[in-house]
């Protein structure tokens, strides 16, 4: 903790600035402080507000100073490793901003996407944050494919909105513009994602219409699916719009893929929190509202060029 001072320069923005002002305390004393009461009170209220927000965390997490995050770190630009091996992305930046509000570190731990909710159930992670779409099935702990209950479900703190897109090899769209155009074709997707669910549902429609099912090849992560498509092993791929758009822009310098058709089923990304921990859920929600209000959230969204997916306020379990 830095020392407080009842005499602060009006341009001071933080406690650090106040310490700098104290370095020239002799000058300040000679010239007088002026009426600094309002500035001092405002600063103390701000400090008190942050302390109150941090105090809303569960005691065990507050004492540890760490929130363990389960994430599939192979989904650029949401979370991935850059050329130097550093974990970066939209989720990382948002988590860092949340951590600054809550006074803790969000520590990301890598896992395959379809194991993240199981990791929450086994308490390997405190939360899961990995471009995970907030759905009623996940909220209630129901397996989307079998319809069977597999756990107590999770609560989501929604922080972004994204639809699903289809992409093909550049210059080889084969007339694909909509999901119905995929009948009789081969598609690559990441296992356990909304794209996977959509492809399975569309394949059933294709069969019922006598058009031939969609042949699906699934992978642990989206980058593996992209590699398969690039090598000619499929006709199309699908992933969340920010991810598909990033692949189109960056893979092969923009020479490998192209987006086809419009994104569909826009839905919220949510930070998954065990239902047994509403204290953590509510603290994260308040921290998210705080970074939306102070403008930090907008800066992060703009940095990654995904402004269309920005939200205006945090919501719990907003998925359908």
């Amino acid at each position: 903790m830095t020392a407080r001072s009842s005499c602060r320069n009006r341009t001071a923005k933080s406690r650090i600035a106040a310490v700098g002002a104290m370095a020239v305390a002799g000058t300040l004393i000679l010239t007088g402080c002026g009426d600094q009461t309002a500035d001092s009170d405002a600063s103390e209220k701000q400090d008190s507000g942050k302390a109150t927000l941090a105090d809303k965390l569960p005691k065990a997490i507050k004492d540890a100073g760490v929130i363990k995050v389960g994430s599939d770190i192979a989904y650029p630009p949401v979370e991935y490793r850059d050329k130097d091996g550093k974990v970066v992305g939209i989720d990382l930046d948002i988590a860092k901003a949340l951590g600054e509000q809550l006074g803790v570190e969000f520590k990301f731990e890598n896992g395959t996407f379809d194991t993240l909710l199981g990791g929450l159930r086994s308490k390997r992670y405190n939360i899961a944050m990995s471009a995970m779409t907030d759905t009623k099935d996940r909220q209630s702990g129901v397996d989307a494919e079998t319809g069977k209950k597999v756990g107590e479900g999770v609560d989501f703190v929604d922080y972004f909105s994204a639809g699903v897109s289809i992409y093909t090899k550049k210059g080889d769209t084969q007339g694909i513009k909509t999901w119905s155009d995929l009948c009789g074709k081969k598609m690559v997707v990441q296992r356990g994602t909304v794209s996977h669910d959509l492809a399975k549902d569309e394949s059933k429609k294709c069969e019922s219409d006598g058009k031939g099912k969609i042949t699906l090849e699934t992978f642990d992560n989206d980058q593996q699916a992209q590699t398969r498509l690039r090598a000619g092993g499929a006709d199309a791929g699908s992933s969340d719009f920010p991810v598909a758009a990033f692949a189109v822009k960056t893979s092969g310098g923009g020479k490998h893929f192209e987006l086809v058709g419009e994104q569909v089923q826009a839905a919220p990304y949510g930070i998954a929190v065990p239902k047994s921990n509403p204290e953590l859920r509510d603290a994260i929600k308040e921290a998210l509202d705080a970074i939306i209000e102070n403008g930090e959230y907008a800066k992060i969204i703009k940095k990654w060029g995904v402004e269309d997916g920005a939200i205006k306020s945090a919501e719990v379990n907003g998925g359908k």
Side-chain angles (χ1 to χ4, degrees), residues 22 79 164 179 204 222 241 278 294:
M22 290 177 69
E79 52 263 316
V164 175
W179 281 83
K204 292 176 183 177
D222 203 66
F241 170 73
N294 70 17

Side-chain angles (χ1 to χ4, degrees), residues 2-33 36 39:
T2 55
R4 292 177 184 267
S5 171
S6 61
C7 175
R8 299 192 182 191
N9 188 291
R10 286 186 180 273
T11 60
K13 299 296 184 183
S14 67
R15 295 186 185 183
I16 295 173
V19 172
M22 290 177 69
V24 290
T27 302
L28 291 175
I29 291 170
L30 287 173
T31 58
C33 296
Q36 301 296 321
D39 289 346

Side-chain angles (χ1 to χ4, degrees), residues 114-170:
D114 57 348
T115 66
L116 297 181
L117 294 184
L120 278 186
R121 290 193 293 270
S122 66
K123 299 184 178 181
R124 178 180 177 183
Y125 316 121
N126 300 123
I127 65 173
M129 187 175 185
S130 191
M132 185 175 289
T133 302
D134 174 1
T135 66
K136 291 296 184 185
D137 282 344
R138 286 170 177 158
Q139 291 172 25
S140 58
V142 171
D143 183 282
E145 185 169 1
T146 65
K148 294 181 179 180
K149 187 87 168 175
V150 293
E152 68 172 358
V154 296
D155 286 330
F156 286 99
V157 179
D158 299 335
Y159 65 98
F160 190 75
S161 179
V164 175
S165 293
I166 302 170
Y167 59 98
T168 66
K169 290 181 69 176
K170 193 162 189 175

Side-chain angles (χ1 to χ4, degrees), residues 15-308:
R15 295 186 185 183
I16 295 173
V19 172
M22 290 177 69
V24 290
T27 302
L28 291 175
I29 291 170
L30 287 173
T31 58
C33 296
D35 183 9
Q36 301 296 321
T37 304
D39 289 346
S40 179
D41 288 348
S43 179
E44 287 176 6
K45 285 179 181 178
Q46 183 179 8
D47 292 343
S48 176
K50 287 187 177 181
T52 300
L53 187 55
D55 285 342
K56 292 187 177 183
L57 286 169
K59 186 177 184 303
I61 288 178
K62 184 179 178 183
D63 290 346
V66 171
I67 292 177
K68 293 183 289 184
V69 185
S71 187
D72 179 9
I73 306 174
Y75 210 53
V78 187
E79 52 263 316
Y80 67 106
R81 296 186 184 277
D82 66 12
K83 61 182 180 180
D84 299 319
K86 181 181 178 182
V87 181
V88 297
I90 299 167
D91 280 359
L92 276 294
D93 287 350
I94 290 176
K96 182 180 178 181
L98 295 176
E100 289 172 353
Q101 290 292 324
L102 294 167
V104 294
E105 175 191 0
F106 280 60
K107 185 177 180 181
F108 279 67
E109 299 181 12
N110 194 30
T112 55
F113 186 81
D114 57 348
T115 66
L116 297 181
L117 294 184
L120 278 186
R121 290 193 293 270
S122 66
K123 299 184 178 181
R124 178 180 177 183
Y125 316 121
N126 300 123
I127 65 173
M129 187 175 185
S130 191
M132 185 175 289
T133 302
D134 174 1
T135 66
K136 291 296 184 185
D137 282 344
R138 286 170 177 158
Q139 291 172 25
S140 58
V142 171
D143 183 282
E145 185 169 1
T146 65
K148 294 181 179 180
K149 187 87 168 175
V150 293
E152 68 172 358
V154 296
D155 286 330
F156 286 99
V157 179
D158 299 335
Y159 65 98
F160 190 75
S161 179
V164 175
S165 293
I166 302 170
Y167 59 98
T168 66
K169 290 181 69 176
K170 193 162 189 175
D172 188 21
T173 67
Q174 301 181 61
I176 298 171
K177 294 181 180 179
T178 67
W179 281 83
S180 61
D181 295 329
L182 291 164
C183 295
K185 299 189 183 298
K186 185 173 182 180
M187 189 174 197
V188 289
V189 294
Q190 181 178 358
R191 189 165 43 251
T193 61
V194 171
S195 289
H196 189 189
D197 292 339
L198 279 173
K200 288 184 291 186
D201 289 344
E202 191 63 43
S203 184
K204 292 176 183 177
K205 293 178 185 177
C206 290
E207 284 190 282
S208 66
D209 292 341
K211 296 180 180 180
K213 69 178 183 179
I214 300 172
T215 301
L216 278 175
E217 189 171 359
T218 63
F219 296 86
D220 285 343
N221 62 62
D222 203 66
Q223 291 171 322
Q224 292 171 350
Q226 291 171 21
T227 298
R228 179 67 167 159
L229 177 60
R230 191 167 61 245
D235 301 304
S238 175
S239 56
D240 293 350
F241 170 73
V243 178
F246 188 83
V248 167
K249 180 179 179 180
T250 61
S251 184
K255 297 178 181 179
H256 289 160
F257 305 122
E258 65 178 280
L259 291 172
V260 294
E262 300 293 329
Q263 58 176 313
V264 299
Q265 291 199 352
Y269 283 171
I271 300 170
V273 186
K275 286 189 180 292
S276 59
N277 204 341
E279 195 177 5
L280 177 58
R281 176 200 66 201
D282 293 346
I284 290 174
K285 179 185 182 300
E286 289 196 38
L288 179 56
D289 275 328
I291 65 171
I292 292 172
E293 184 177 350
N294 70 17
E296 188 63 26
Y297 174 85
K299 290 179 183 177
I300 293 167
I301 296 300
K302 184 176 181 179
K303 168 186 172 181
W304 291 100
V306 290
E307 292 94 330
D308 287 348

